[in-house]
Amino acid sequence: MTKMVRISIPLSDNISNRYEKYHLFAYNYLGYQVIFDRILTGRARELVNKGELDGMMIAEREIEQTFANLLRVPVVLAKGALVLYCNKSVVCDKSVFNDADNVIGVTSGKSISSNFIDTVAASSYAIKSDEDLGSMLTKGRLYYVLLIDEVELGNLGSLDESLFNTAVVYHSEGFHYINKKHKNLLPGLTQGFKLAIEHYGPLVSPKK
């Protein structure tokens, strides 16, 4: 009988299309068929943590602070940063987070942006996707949003960066995560992703 795993993928086609063939290669190397499920990021993290899904395509390493049952496959798939994007009419630096009157758009669920905003004084306004956050900022419905800037893909909110000011909050890296019930797969997946990168080419430039 064919072995099968269910992996959550982001709503963004830019992200899923970039990484899909690497995941297929790594799991096929171990003899597994992959079923990809397109699910909101926050919901996907909860499902993988509960073991109702086997893994998630990619997440930042800070996810480990929130979800105890996720296991990192230690091959770097992405590099990026959490970035504050601001309307040009307002101050744009880390002091924004100290003002309780400021409302900052974040991705809903236990995302990197919503987890960060929970640690500061500013208020949050949660929206389901990075693209929707970018749209809210572009239309002037929010003055601040927190987005991931991925080194190779750029900002995940599909923003015209020239229209806004920015402040980097912190840098991070992205990895594939599996539920800990699959810890026996970790050595093989690590090797599989390394071979996939050799086969398809690097995902992250060593200079970035």
Side-chain angles (χ1 to χ4, degrees), residues 78-85 112 130 146-159 161 166-168 170-172:
K79 291 185 178 180
L82 182 64
V83 178
L84 178 69
Y85 279 83
I112 183 172
D130 291 322
L146 279 171
L147 290 169
I148 296 290
D149 271 26
E150 205 276 327
V151 167
E152 305 295 337
L153 293 175
N155 79 78
L156 301 188
S158 301
L159 286 174
E161 297 183 12
T166 61
V168 174
Y170 61 79
H171 294 275
S172 188

Side-chain angles (χ1 to χ4, degrees), residues 58 73-79 172-176 197 203-204:
I58 190 166
V73 178
V75 178
V76 177
L77 302 181
K79 291 185 178 180
S172 188
E173 294 174 326
F175 300 87
H176 177 50
I197 289 169
L203 282 162
V204 177

Side-chain angles (χ1 to χ4, degrees), residues 16-188:
S16 57
N17 291 344
R18 177 169 174 76
Y19 299 109
E20 185 174 303
K21 63 185 178 183
Y22 292 86
H23 288 69
L24 289 172
F25 188 106
Y27 278 98
N28 291 343
Y29 172 73
L30 296 182
Y32 280 83
Q33 180 181 342
V34 181
I35 297 173
F36 290 117
D37 286 329
R38 193 178 298 275
I39 302 174
L40 285 169
T41 299
R43 177 68 176 150
R45 294 174 180 207
E46 292 173 357
L47 291 173
V48 178
N49 192 56
K50 292 176 182 176
E52 295 177 26
L53 288 175
D54 299 299
M56 57 188 313
M57 178 173 270
I58 190 166
E60 68 285 350
R61 61 173 181 261
E62 287 74 19
I63 196 175
E64 298 164 25
Q65 300 167 13
T66 306
F67 296 101
N69 294 323
L70 298 186
L71 189 62
R72 179 201 306 181
V73 178
V75 178
V76 177
L77 302 181
K79 291 185 178 180
L82 182 64
V83 178
L84 178 69
Y85 279 83
C86 314
N87 185 293
K88 287 193 173 181
S89 67
V90 296
V91 171
C92 196
D93 58 35
K94 291 182 181 179
S95 69
V96 167
F97 301 119
N98 300 328
D99 187 342
D101 291 331
N102 287 334
V103 178
I104 299 173
V106 299
T107 308
S108 58
K110 294 184 182 298
S111 66
I112 183 172
S113 56
S114 63
N115 286 346
F116 174 79
I117 210 70
D118 285 344
T119 68
V120 300
S123 301
S124 64
Y125 186 89
I127 302 172
K128 69 176 183 178
S129 72
D130 291 322
E131 288 88 349
D132 289 340
L133 276 180
S135 176
M136 291 284 279
L137 183 65
T138 299
K139 293 175 180 177
R141 294 178 182 172
L142 289 170
Y143 279 5
Y144 310 96
V145 299
L146 279 171
L147 290 169
I148 296 290
D149 271 26
E150 205 276 327
V151 167
E152 305 295 337
L153 293 175
N155 79 78
L156 301 188
S158 301
L159 286 174
D160 179 350
E161 297 183 12
S162 68
L163 300 178
F164 307 99
N165 292 329
T166 61
V168 174
V169 180
Y170 61 79
H171 294 275
S172 188
E173 294 174 326
F175 300 87
H176 177 50
Y177 280 89
I178 56 176
N179 184 278
K180 285 185 176 178
K181 68 183 179 182
H182 295 304
K183 63 182 179 181
N184 61 305
L185 298 182
L186 192 59

